[in-house]
Amino acid sequence: MSEKIAVVTGAARGIGLATTRLFTDSGWKVAMIDRDGEALADAITSLDNVHGIDCDVSDADSVSGMIAETLRKFGRIDALVNNAGVADFGPIEDTTYARWRTVMATNLDGPFLCVQAATPALRETGGAIVNISSISGLRASTLRVAYGTSKAAVIQLTLQQAVELGEYGIRANCVCPGPVRTKLAMAVHSQEIIDAYHDAIPLNRYGSEQEIAEAIAFLCSDKASYITGQVLAADGGFEATGIGLPALRR
């Protein structure tokens, strides 16, 4: 895996940062992409073989510039991880069109724009695309009309990319994280919510950022060379439970 180059969006924290660390530990070099320049600068200080690029993935010109900068710095792209995303939770009747568009612009337009811009470079390497969706893209939940819809659309976008770009040797897959123990989640999840998730997940726990990163890195690696068009729920079995009745498992 030496001398391979990955582009990771939303790389300043969370799953994106964990994925970056896993790549660099495996000998890859990484273009770390984030629109939070301050957080990106802080993250880079503890890493080797990375190059930070301030970029808003919802802006086509910014994305084109980001890909050009990556190629200028590293000369190639072997993997693109579309991890950047925003969450906006609220009732349908309170979700304004402006809020809807903000979510769609980053969560759906971003992966579309990044793949469009990176496709010529990925054709040269027979590279891999991994789009990060969510368990919310596989099963509906309350207060997620914009977020869940955007993540469901990312799954379909991935299938389109796999079908259309496969002839170039480009693979496209999707990872759907379930509840993950991030700092943000732990800050907003009450003990009641934590207990409810634990009851509903067959493995009875949240996932870790590292565990999601392992799934992403595998799909980008040569070990997954014949895997494309797949949707992997890294969720402790949450999606498999359907509506779930935890009491029946006791």
Side-chain angles (χ1 to χ4, degrees):
M1 296 176 70
S2 61
E3 299 303 314
K4 287 195 172 184
I5 309 302
V7 174
V8 180
T9 71
R13 57 177 64 82
I15 292 169
L17 182 56
T19 302
T20 297
R21 286 176 175 148
L22 190 56
F23 273 133
T24 58
D25 287 347
S26 300
W28 290 59
K29 296 179 180 178
V30 180
M32 297 178 66
I33 315 304
D34 209 286
R35 66 184 181 186
D36 186 339
E38 184 175 344
L40 187 60
D42 289 342
I44 288 173
T45 58
S46 62
L47 295 167
D48 296 320
N49 296 318
V50 300
H51 180 59
I53 304 175
D54 194 327
C55 171
D56 181 347
V57 299
S58 70
D59 181 84
D61 290 339
S62 184
V63 168
S64 294
M66 174 269 288
I67 295 296
E69 172 65 11
T70 299
L71 293 173
R72 183 199 67 78
K73 176 67 176 179
F74 294 122
R76 61 184 286 157
I77 298 173
D78 296 276
L80 168 62
V81 179
N82 286 308
N83 170 71
V86 297
D88 184 305
F89 300 149
I92 290 175
E93 62 267 31
D94 293 341
T95 301
T96 63
Y97 182 65
R99 289 173 63 181
W100 170 276
R101 279 306 313 151
T102 296
V103 173
M104 294 296 169
T106 295
N107 293 6
L108 181 57
D109 297 352
F112 170 77
L113 292 171
C114 288
V115 169
Q116 291 289 90
T119 290
L122 291 170
R123 287 182 65 170
E124 293 292 325
T125 60
I129 299 161
V130 176
N131 296 320
I132 309 306
S133 177
S134 168
I135 195 67
S136 295
L138 291 171
R139 57 188 293 179
S141 183
T142 55
L143 310 180
R144 287 166 170 80
V145 63
Y147 181 76
T149 303
S150 73
K151 292 301 188 178
V154 167
I155 292 172
Q156 181 62 28
L157 176 64
T158 303
L159 302 184
Q160 290 292 147
Q161 291 165 344
V163 169
E164 296 191 27
L165 301 179
E167 63 182 287
Y168 306 134
I170 299 172
R171 298 181 298 104
N173 293 290
C174 187
V175 173
C176 297
V180 177
R181 183 172 283 277
T182 63
K183 290 182 179 179
L184 177 61
M186 292 302 96
V188 299
H189 285 189
S190 66
Q191 190 60 49
E192 183 181 13
I193 291 173
I194 293 170
D195 292 343
Y197 269 130
H198 284 195
D199 283 344
I201 297 170
L203 291 185
N204 299 119
R205 64 176 178 84
Y206 283 61
S208 70
E209 296 165 350
Q210 177 72 16
E211 287 174 312
I212 308 304
E214 293 281 0
I216 295 167
F218 165 71
L219 290 172
C220 290
S221 76
D222 293 338
K223 294 179 180 179
S225 58
Y226 199 54
I227 299 175
T228 193
Q230 300 305 302
V231 180
L232 175 60
D235 66 349
F238 187 35
E239 199 266 338
T241 63
I243 61 170
L245 290 173
L248 294 180
R249 300 205 310 270
R250 295 194 181 101

